[in-house]
Amino acid sequence: LLAGAALMTRATGRDFKTYIVEKRFKALIPYFDEETKTTVTGTRLPGILAELQVWSESPLLGKGFAISTQVEAQAGSELGMNHNVWTSALAQCGPIGLAAYLVPIWGAIIVGYRLWRDQTERYMALLGAMASITGVISILWGTLSLSINQQRPAMLIGFMFGLVFR
């Protein structure tokens, strides 16, 4: 990343290296911005920890879908929940709800990889590779945001899962 920034600095004359170091790397440090006290990790980690705390209160079934709103209301504006799919699913639905997310994703990865590895037919190998890539991207989406809870990403995961199991 820094080598690319140095190359872009040399090619364009703009200082990309300082931009990346000052704006992007330092933004990952918790509580870097002294004025707002918020950064990427500074706002996400407390929400994730709060969701895990809620889950620990009811580890088998979770606390229900409206629990994040109740916890946020009790904490005031200092806490925001629902920052990733995995801890949110645990807090709301417990391990069963988490499994509902993970089974299609890991199924698409594993079966897709096996289709690609066997390469019995070219189109099946390509389908397997697409399913595996979709599964890995879904894991990243779910870790970095609450995006696979939405309709379009969920349809993509379900579609790829259904295709490889067909």
Side-chain angles (χ1 to χ4, degrees):
L1 184 65
L2 291 175
L7 183 66
M8 288 297 291
T9 299
R10 185 170 290 180
T12 62
R14 295 180 62 202
D15 191 8
F16 282 96
K17 187 175 178 182
T18 303
Y19 171 76
I20 288 176
V21 170
E22 292 294 322
K23 298 288 186 180
R24 298 299 160 224
F25 284 159
K26 287 187 178 178
L28 296 175
I29 300 171
Y31 305 110
F32 172 71
D33 187 1
E34 293 299 324
E35 182 180 331
T36 61
K37 300 286 188 203
T38 59
T39 63
V40 172
T41 55
T43 58
R44 289 184 182 270
L45 290 179
I48 290 170
L49 293 174
E51 287 172 340
L52 291 174
Q53 176 64 35
V54 167
W55 171 64
S56 70
E57 295 170 7
S58 179
L60 288 178
L61 298 175
K63 296 287 272 184
F65 287 112
I67 192 63
S68 61
T69 308
Q70 293 171 4
V71 172
E72 287 173 354
Q74 290 172 355
S77 63
E78 301 157 1
L79 180 68
M81 293 177 66
N82 294 334
H83 281 293
N84 76 38
V85 171
W86 318 124
T87 56
S88 177
L90 274 173
Q92 294 175 359
C93 305
I96 296 169
L98 181 62
Y101 287 109
L102 291 176
V103 166
I105 292 171
W106 282 105
I109 292 172
I110 292 168
V111 176
Y113 172 74
R114 289 179 182 169
L115 284 172
W116 173 79
R117 183 189 62 197
D118 294 343
Q119 296 199 9
T120 56
E121 297 173 4
R122 182 181 171 113
Y123 72 92
M124 291 301 286
L126 291 173
L127 177 66
M130 282 188 346
S132 292
I133 291 169
T134 301
V136 169
I137 289 171
S138 298
I139 288 174
L140 291 174
W141 276 344
T143 302
L144 299 174
S145 68
L146 202 65
S147 60
I148 64 171
N149 288 9
Q150 298 170 359
Q151 186 176 2
R152 288 182 181 160
M155 286 174 39
L156 176 63
I157 296 162
F159 182 69
M160 294 309 289
F161 178 67
L163 280 177
V164 295
F165 272 88
R166 174 74 173 103

